[in-house]
Amino acid sequence: MTTERGRERARNRSRRAPAPGERRQDAERSRRLLLDAAKEEFAAKGFAGARVQDIADRAGLNKQLISYHFGGKEGLWNALTQQWLESEQALDEPEVPLDEVVERYLRAMFADPRGPRLSAWAGLTGGAPPDPDEDLTGLERRQAAGEIGADLDPAAVLLMITGATAIPLVMPQVARAICGLDPESPEFQDHYAEQLRRVVRRLS
């Protein structure tokens, strides 16, 4: 028969403070859930339209954790921007040909269209923190290696490639009307990726 003292010890064990490792795992999980929820809300409503409470509700967490982990909505946006920059670095390997790098970007966007969509929202509605300046040294190196014609402006080339990869995701109705295919279909994505690679190869 369980004694009162035994029951008290059991209650004390259940109320023990989490170990440092457990606290770290909980914090990392909360940050991950909030970032994913913020990406959904920003992609659907833009920076200005997304509410902190809705982000917290989508994550299933208290909205105070947004301030605790990120300092507010702007901090969430900046963290997502940093996340995207890190993923870009992983895609843009110097030894990989430019046309393949562009296809990698395109495939990544097809797999998760929230990035270009939230960027489009920011441009149309305003209010979001400014994007960091682009580092053009990689394209300039490719230009010196002959992958981009000497008469082309690397900044303009990057802008054109950015538009070409984003259009099927932020203007799917235009892509559908021009190509006669659903931009979400494998048929469109494979065909468009191959055509874009051919165009990029002709920049040299």
Side-chain angles (χ1 to χ4, degrees):
M1 183 174 180
T2 304
T3 64
E4 183 60 33
R5 182 176 297 176
R7 285 193 292 270
E8 181 63 25
R9 283 200 297 268
R11 285 194 293 270
N12 287 338
R13 283 197 299 272
S14 69
R15 292 197 300 265
R16 71 174 178 81
E22 292 173 331
R23 286 196 295 269
R24 184 172 61 253
Q25 289 174 358
D26 285 344
E28 291 171 355
R29 177 177 177 275
S30 295
R31 285 179 58 87
R32 187 172 62 253
L33 289 172
L34 289 169
L35 282 170
D36 198 58
K39 190 180 289 187
E40 291 286 349
E41 288 293 313
F42 289 144
K45 303 172 184 175
F47 180 82
R51 296 173 59 246
V52 168
Q53 185 63 62
D54 291 340
I55 294 171
D57 289 345
R58 184 184 285 272
L61 297 170
N62 190 304
K63 72 175 183 179
Q64 299 303 323
L65 287 175
I66 293 176
S67 295
Y68 177 76
H69 287 297
F70 300 100
K73 188 167 73 167
E74 183 172 330
L76 268 173
W77 180 275
N78 290 333
L80 286 173
T81 300
Q82 182 60 37
Q83 195 179 72
W84 176 247
L85 291 174
E86 290 170 1
S87 68
E88 280 187 332
Q89 291 173 357
L91 294 170
D92 188 8
E93 296 175 289
E95 67 277 9
V96 176
L98 182 59
D99 65 307
E100 183 176 337
V101 170
V102 172
E103 182 177 358
R104 288 182 176 187
Y105 278 106
L106 183 65
R107 297 287 186 182
M109 290 182 181
F110 281 144
D112 184 359
R114 294 174 297 179
R117 287 174 182 168
L118 67 87
S119 182
W121 265 112
L124 292 171
T125 61
D131 289 343
D133 291 340
E134 285 285 350
D135 181 5
L136 297 174
T137 55
L139 277 182
E140 290 167 348
R141 176 188 56 77
R142 291 181 182 277
Q143 186 175 46
E147 283 193 89
I148 300 172
D151 60 333
L152 297 177
D153 174 13
V157 169
L158 179 57
L159 184 60
M160 293 173 195
I161 290 174
T162 301
T165 52
I167 280 177
L169 301 161
V170 300
M171 300 174 67
Q173 77 284 6
V174 173
R176 188 179 297 108
I178 293 173
C179 298
L181 294 170
D182 181 355
E184 294 186 1
S185 69
E187 184 181 5
F188 172 87
Q189 293 177 6
D190 290 344
H191 176 70
Y192 188 69
E194 175 57 29
Q195 290 297 304
L196 187 55
R197 287 189 68 161
R198 293 185 185 192
V199 170
V200 172
R201 285 197 291 266
R202 296 191 182 192
L203 293 174
S204 62

